[in-house]
């Protein structure tokens, strides 16, 4: 299996004020490190395309996408795929890569979205996937605005379909937040949030392909330290990708 992970990177620019004087610093960070390790630990291939490369390097044809068994979008807003420099600066026509992903899934591709501040609708609605081809193909419907549920007290995943996971304990570590979505009628609810009943993992089919929505994070900050160090963390993602690629 070959997976393409897109997103999960950011640059922080800080201003330091020390009395009369100021100076600035910047740092580049990535949030998908443990997910990447988890996928590769099962012998699968994974290409990682961080946010700053996606505008120019994300596939623009079905032929390019056909080299992957699954695509994972995580913490990457719709604008990053819709507004490459050729469009935003050069005023040129360019393939709509959200529509391209929909066509790819219809023809047998498999796509998962993982939650984050720029997934689904995201903070202040800035991820902006509502009413897009991505919402059309995913097994969930999205809100119109900010869809975050911040839960610093911790919430517990609840397994709704025991057949989906094998060899994973019933007691799951807590999460610290997720995105509020609604499962579509023809989807399957696999994990929910015990305290609220909201969906945590929903899967479905679209055309000839398979899709999944995991509404919490793949890393900090919504996955607690206990979740990140959980012995079944790799098995969780392997189970989802195994179902998606029909292995």
């Amino acid at each position: 299996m070959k997976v393409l992970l897109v997103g999960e990177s950011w640059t922080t620019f800080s201003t330091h004020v020390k009395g009369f004087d100021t100076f600035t610093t910047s740092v580049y960070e990535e949030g998908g490190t443990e997910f990447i390790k988890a996928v590769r630990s099962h012998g699968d291939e994974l290409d990682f395309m961080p946010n700053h490369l996606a505008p120019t390097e994300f596939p623009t044809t079905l032929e390019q996408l056909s080299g992957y068994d699954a695509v994972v979008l995580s913490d990457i807003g719709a604008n990053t795929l819709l507004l490459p420099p050729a469009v935003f600066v050069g005023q040129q026509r360019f393939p709509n890569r959200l529509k391209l992903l929909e066509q790819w899934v219809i023809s047998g591709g498999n796509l998962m979205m993982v939650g984050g501040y720029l997934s689904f609708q995201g903070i202040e609605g800035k991820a902006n996937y509502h009413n897009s081809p991505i919402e059309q193909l995913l097994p969930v419907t999205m809100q119109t605005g900010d869809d975050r549920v911040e839960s610093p007290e911790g919430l517990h995943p609840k397994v709704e379909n025991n057949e989906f996971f094998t060899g994973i304990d019933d007691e799951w570590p807590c999460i610290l937040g997720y995105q509020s979505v609604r499962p579509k009628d023809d989807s399957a609810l696999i994990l929910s949030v015990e305290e609220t009943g909201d969906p945590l993992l929903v899967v479905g089919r679209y055309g000839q392909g398979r899709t999944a929505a995991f509404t919490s994070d793949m890393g900090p900050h919504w996955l607690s330290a206990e979740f990140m160090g959980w012995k079944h963390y790799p098995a969780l993602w392997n189970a989802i990708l195994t179902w998606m690629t029909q292995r």
Side-chain angles (χ1 to χ4, degrees):
M1 175 173 61
K2 189 171 184 179
V3 178
L4 175 62
L5 169 63
V6 191
E8 281 299 333
S9 71
W10 60 93
T11 299
T12 303
F13 188 79
S14 303
T15 300
H16 303 251
V17 180
K18 295 189 176 183
F20 182 86
D21 298 296
T22 66
F23 63 92
T24 60
T25 60
S26 61
V27 61
Y28 170 77
E29 298 177 274
E30 297 176 351
T33 303
E34 294 305 315
F35 175 85
I36 294 170
K37 289 181 182 177
V39 173
R40 290 174 177 169
S41 71
H42 288 274
D44 295 313
E45 292 184 64
L46 185 145
D47 288 344
F48 174 45
M49 185 179 294
N51 274 305
H52 64 281
L53 296 181
T56 55
E57 295 191 10
F58 190 86
T60 56
T61 67
L62 289 174
E63 182 180 7
Q64 291 172 333
L65 280 172
S66 68
Y68 295 100
D69 300 295
V71 171
V72 180
L73 300 179
S74 184
D75 221 351
I76 177 172
N79 283 331
T80 300
L81 298 178
L82 289 172
L83 298 174
V87 175
F88 191 67
V89 179
Q91 301 167 277
Q92 302 174 27
R93 297 179 63 186
F94 197 85
N96 185 322
R97 290 177 288 192
L98 303 189
K99 290 182 178 180
L100 179 68
L101 281 168
E102 183 183 24
Q103 295 168 2
W104 178 66
V105 172
I106 288 173
S107 64
N110 307 291
L111 184 136
M112 172 166 59
M113 179 169 283
V114 179
Y117 269 32
L118 282 173
S119 296
F120 299 99
Q121 278 295 88
I123 186 169
E124 300 175 356
K126 289 183 176 178
N128 201 30
Y129 285 104
H130 178 54
N131 283 337
S132 75
I134 300 301
E135 183 180 36
Q136 181 67 26
L137 66 88
L138 285 176
V140 297
T141 57
M142 304 176 196
Q143 298 185 16
T144 56
D146 195 319
D147 56 3
R148 294 170 301 139
V149 180
E150 298 287 355
S151 305
E153 74 280 15
L155 298 171
H156 297 87
K158 178 184 177 183
V159 179
E160 301 285 355
N161 186 336
N162 289 309
E163 295 181 359
F164 196 89
F165 301 106
T166 57
I168 297 181
D169 298 337
D170 291 334
E171 295 294 328
W172 289 49
C174 68
I175 60 173
L176 303 175
Y178 62 95
Q179 250 117 7
S180 178
V181 299
R182 295 177 64 87
K184 292 179 180 175
D185 291 340
D186 56 351
S187 66
L189 178 63
I190 307 301
L191 291 172
S192 66
V193 179
E194 184 175 341
E195 290 83 354
T196 64
D198 288 338
L200 182 57
L201 173 61
V202 184
V203 300
R205 292 176 170 83
Y206 189 75
Q208 299 299 312
R210 296 189 175 196
T211 62
F214 185 82
T215 61
S216 193
D217 216 325
M218 65 169 56
H221 74 275
W222 277 347
L223 290 193
S224 64
E226 292 80 8
F227 204 117
M228 294 299 300
W230 187 35
K231 65 180 180 180
H232 294 304
Y233 176 89
L236 162 66
W237 301 113
N238 182 61
I240 299 172
L241 291 169
T242 293
W243 180 86
M244 288 176 62
T245 57
Q246 306 177 56
R247 291 189 297 181

